[in-house]
Amino acid sequence: MFLQLLVSGISIGSIYALVALAMVIIYKTSEVPNFAQGEMAMISTFIAFMFLDTYGQSFIVSFTGALGFAVALGAFLEFVFLRRAKDPNVLSLILITLGFEMMLYGLASWKWGADQKSFPFPVSDFDIVNLGQAVASHLNIATLFVALFLMFILFLFFKYTKVGIAMKATQQNMIAARINGIRANRILSITWGMSSFIGAVAGMMLAPIATLDPNLMMDPLLKGFAAAVLGGMTTLVGSAIGGYLLGIIETLFGGYVSLQFKSIVAFLIIVLVLCFKPSGLFAKHYVRRV
Amino acid sequence: MAFLEIKNIETFYGLIYALRGVSLSLEEGTITAILGNNGAGKSTILKTVMGLIEDQPDKGTIEFMGKRIDRKDPEQLVRLGISYVPEGREIFDELTVRENLLMGAYCRHDRAGIKQDFTRIYGYFSVLEEREGQLAGTLSGGEQQMLAIGRALMNGPKLLFLDEPSLGLSPILVKEIFAIIKKINEEGITILLVEQNARMALKIAHVGLILENGRFVMKGKAADLMEDEDVKEFYLGVKQTESAKGYQRWKRQKRWR
Ligand SMILES: Nc1ncnc2c1ncn2[C@@H]1O[C@H](COP(=O)(O)OP(=O)(O)O)[C@@H](O)[C@H]1O
Ligand SMILES: [Mg+2]
């Protein structure tokens, strides 16, 4: 049973890790926890569903289209709303993201209704691979691989590409970035687009095991946020590890202790971490220079 | 036509009237030093030109090589060939030395030229080459200053602004850095240098200006300023006659060091 729970934990942990990564990427540049992250992913997942179901497109076309939409949506929200805020403080920025959240949720409810849809997916959750003591569905395995692959791409991006390094530079010191000719505004748009993309992947990997409705990302968003806080909110690696830890611990708790209180355990951990190590488990201690 | 022509600019920080009509023209190929007390507005001049203070200058014009550049974004100015080393260095702490330098060349696409400039800058500051892979935040103050200058040079600038490169450095390091600033200038880059360390600045500068309360109060050849009685007393810490209040002298020297 332990191994089986571990498999499920890692699978859902992958989703949490992706959401956490998406949040941290935005948090590091825009300095705001983006509470619309979940709905942005949910809408993008609906777009994929629309391509598949309404227009009968292939998986490739639908998923590519939805991911493209996600990037455009992220960049659009940053450009149209966030950038307009003059000398914003954190609270007003949070409010703006909550505004997006409600807007997108309303839009999805109006367009696709509240009834649950099943999301077609090329990889099955019923075909299984035997791992000895446990079994993993093809979808479990695909989720893990997609998540790890994305993380690897992110790693390469931030380490070796000029734009990736410029993004880190902008996160560390916006003024210094600008006086080196880095167009900070463009970096912000790219950040939002990228983050939205990662969130959309999480949404589309989650939709086949959950059911597709406007509430799809509610719980994963909170868990992803919790994972990001657990990881210290500022490190990509930390937030990814936070996501997996949360997924695993939560699933184990659900299996051995209580299924009803499964969700609460995540927040119990967060409270404990915040009490004993407020900067998160993996935060590096450096003071941001403004 | 002057290389950089600042005409009568006035800058406000909200209600604070920081620059009260500043004019300055730089000749190509020279080093110009702006000297002045803490709070005189030296940094504000550079920040205004760099477009870092929103909606400023309130009045006045700035021209670079015959083109108006006032109220342009720093991103645009860098592309015109103006590099800026801000007060307090502002390097990217969590990037490596090499990545910092690479960001200096962000606007450039000539690989060969960038590679050449890496070699050139490592030639000026060999310690940067030794520390290439180290995070910039872990460098010493002097090394960070060298990195900040190196990063600005990676842009391949025609005009270089330096804001108090001597700040917080030991006299030996200051000497070393100023020698390199002079060398950079001799290789063809026009320099506008802001300093509180008037002695060092006037030694390498061609022209010097003295700023007080947001206005220039004196301008002259650097060599002449060094001989000026007032400059000697107030900016170089040389006391001409013995004052009855001996402590004043001590205070003054301490302030202007
Ligand atoms: N961001 C700011 N907001 C308000 N006032 C400022 C700001 N920066 C500088 N000042 C004021 O403008 C004046 C000039 O400052 P500054 O240019 O930094 O002087 P300096 O570089 O010569 O020491 C000072 O009186 C300072 O208090
Ligand atoms: Mg200053």
Side-chain angles (χ1 to χ4, degrees):
Chain A
M1 166 134 141
F2 176 79
L3 266 182
Q4 191 57 55
L5 289 173
L6 201 62
V7 169
S8 321
I10 288 173
S11 191
I12 192 69
S14 298
I15 305 285
Y16 297 164
L18 288 180
V19 175
L21 281 173
M23 291 201 84
V24 166
I25 287 173
I26 283 185
Y27 183 78
K28 285 182 75 161
T29 23
S30 294
E31 297 196 299
V32 58
N34 175 20
F35 288 110
Q37 197 82 57
E39 309 324 355
M40 286 158 68
M42 177 270 292
I43 288 267
S44 306
T45 309
F46 263 114
I47 295 288
F49 176 78
M50 195 176 77
F51 272 117
L52 286 167
D53 194 73
T54 318
Y55 301 120
Q57 296 292 329
S58 67
F59 283 118
I60 297 260
V61 171
S62 307
F63 288 1
T64 313
L67 290 173
F69 169 84
V71 171
L73 176 70
F76 173 82
L77 290 179
E78 192 281 324
F79 180 78
V80 175
F81 296 98
L82 226 64
R83 201 176 292 178
R84 307 299 144 200
K86 238 188 159 99
D87 287 331
N89 58 29
V90 177
L91 280 180
S92 56
L93 286 178
I94 289 181
L95 218 62
I96 293 176
T97 73
L98 282 173
F100 295 163
E101 192 271 335
M102 288 186 266
M103 212 170 71
L104 296 173
Y105 186 85
L107 189 73
S109 306
W110 164 76
K111 181 88 176 66
W112 289 286
D115 52 318
Q116 306 192 323
K117 299 176 172 61
S118 68
F119 186 75
F121 203 76
V123 181
S124 156
D125 195 26
F126 302 108
D127 298 338
I128 52 171
V129 174
N130 218 318
L131 301 175
Q133 307 272 345
V135 292
S137 74
H138 288 181
L139 185 60
N140 287 151
I141 294 167
T143 307
L144 179 65
F145 272 94
V146 167
L148 292 181
F149 178 72
L150 255 182
M151 287 172 203
F152 181 62
I153 296 285
L154 276 179
F155 168 80
L156 294 180
F157 172 75
F158 281 116
K159 191 148 176 79
Y160 296 110
T161 71
K162 194 161 140 184
V163 179
I165 298 172
M167 200 177 268
K168 286 195 290 185
T170 310
Q171 289 164 351
Q172 287 166 34
N173 191 329
M174 174 100 67
I175 299 285
R178 296 188 65 200
I179 61 173
N180 282 288
I182 299 169
R183 294 195 171 93
N185 279 339
R186 197 175 293 177
I187 294 286
L188 282 178
S189 292
I190 296 173
T191 306
W192 276 71
M194 213 165 95
S195 164
S196 180
F197 178 97
I198 296 168
V201 171
M204 285 155 57
M205 299 305 292
L206 179 67
I209 40 171
T211 41
L212 182 59
D213 67 23
N215 295 319
L216 175 74
M217 294 300 286
M218 287 261 183
D219 185 63
L221 172 79
L222 289 176
K223 301 289 172 56
F225 184 39
V229 173
L230 194 62
M233 209 61 204
T234 50
T235 83
L236 296 180
V237 177
S239 62
I241 296 176
Y244 281 107
L245 273 181
L246 204 63
I248 292 168
I249 294 173
E250 177 191 271
T251 313
L252 289 178
F253 186 90
Y256 286 117
V257 188
S258 152
L259 206 54
Q260 284 91 336
F261 290 106
K262 186 177 135 183
S263 270
I264 294 173
V265 76
F267 295 95
L268 214 63
I269 297 171
I270 301 306
V271 171
L272 286 177
V273 168
L274 291 184
C275 285
F276 293 107
K277 198 157 183 301
S279 53
L281 289 182
F282 311 100
K284 275 182 284 180
H285 295 270
Y286 83 94
V287 183
R288 190 189 163 98
R289 291 168 64 184
V290 190
Chain B
M1 181 187 69
F3 194 55
L4 178 76
E5 182 85 58
I6 299 176
K7 275 193 198 140
N8 225 3
I9 55 169
E10 297 183 23
T11 296
F12 289 83
Y13 290 105
L15 291 175
I16 298 170
Y17 190 22
L19 295 185
R20 309 172 175 224
V22 165
S23 298
L24 170 67
S25 69
L26 296 194
E27 289 306 319
E28 187 165 5
T30 59
I31 300 182
T32 303
I34 299 179
L35 312 173
N37 188 345
N38 199 6
K42 303 181 300 298
S43 300
T44 304
I45 295 179
L46 299 186
K47 284 191 215 161
T48 305
V49 178
M50 282 312 288
L52 287 170
I53 311 172
E54 212 169 318
D55 296 333
Q56 301 294 329
D58 190 57
K59 291 207 180 74
T61 61
I62 307 166
E63 280 179 20
F64 175 58
M65 295 169 67
K67 265 195 280 181
R68 283 283 289 272
I69 58 159
D70 38 297
R71 295 197 179 203
K72 273 206 197 307
D73 291 333
E75 290 95 324
Q76 290 171 287
L77 297 173
V78 171
R79 286 170 173 79
L80 292 177
I82 305 179
S83 277
Y84 168 52
V85 180
E87 193 175 352
R89 295 136 203 172
E90 307 284 344
I91 52 163
F92 302 114
D93 286 347
E94 298 276 302
L95 296 187
T96 64
V97 168
R98 193 181 171 79
E99 286 172 332
N100 266 274
L101 292 173
L102 216 61
M103 288 296 103
Y106 186 78
C107 306
R108 294 172 60 178
H109 302 284
D110 54 325
R111 271 167 186 272
I114 292 174
K115 213 172 152 197
Q116 222 169 4
D117 275 348
F118 261 111
T119 316
R120 185 162 71 104
I121 286 154
Y122 286 156
Y124 294 147
F125 307 112
S126 57
V127 66
L128 294 183
E129 185 164 22
E130 291 160 27
R131 303 284 159 92
E132 208 179 47
Q134 195 172 320
L135 289 186
T138 64
L139 297 178
S140 73
E143 290 160 355
Q144 292 191 2
Q145 187 64 60
M146 294 174 189
L147 179 58
I149 296 173
R151 189 182 65 183
L153 290 176
M154 285 302 290
N155 179 42
K158 301 184 183 81
L159 173 60
L160 178 65
F161 293 159
L162 291 162
D163 196 343
E164 302 215 26
S166 75
L167 201 70
L169 303 187
S170 71
I172 296 174
L173 266 176
V174 172
K175 255 196 182 146
E176 194 178 319
I177 285 183
F178 273 63
I180 295 198
I181 293 173
K182 192 159 175 236
K183 205 157 137 198
I184 292 167
N185 171 253
E186 284 162 2
E187 291 178 10
I189 298 175
T190 309
I191 292 176
L192 179 57
L193 168 68
V194 155
E195 259 300 341
Q196 281 195 56
N197 188 335
R199 188 182 299 276
M200 282 310 296
L202 289 178
K203 255 188 211 160
I204 61 165
H206 303 100
V207 181
L209 296 104
I210 293 178
L211 191 72
E212 275 178 15
N213 287 320
R215 279 198 191 92
F216 284 127
V217 293
M218 203 183 283
K219 177 187 171 176
K221 283 191 184 145
D224 295 345
L225 285 182
M226 288 245 252
E227 295 309 316
D228 186 277
E229 296 300 316
D230 285 345
V231 175
K232 267 187 181 169
E233 176 164 358
F234 290 101
Y235 292 93
L236 298 173
V238 181
K239 190 71 178 154
Q240 300 302 299
T241 51
E242 207 47 61
S243 156
K245 297 174 184 170
Y247 67 88
Q248 249 188 5
R249 171 185 173 193
W250 172 80
K251 242 177 135 174
R252 197 160 268 161
Q253 283 194 331
K254 189 141 196 259
R255 263 169 82 199
W256 301 128
R257 260 286 310 184

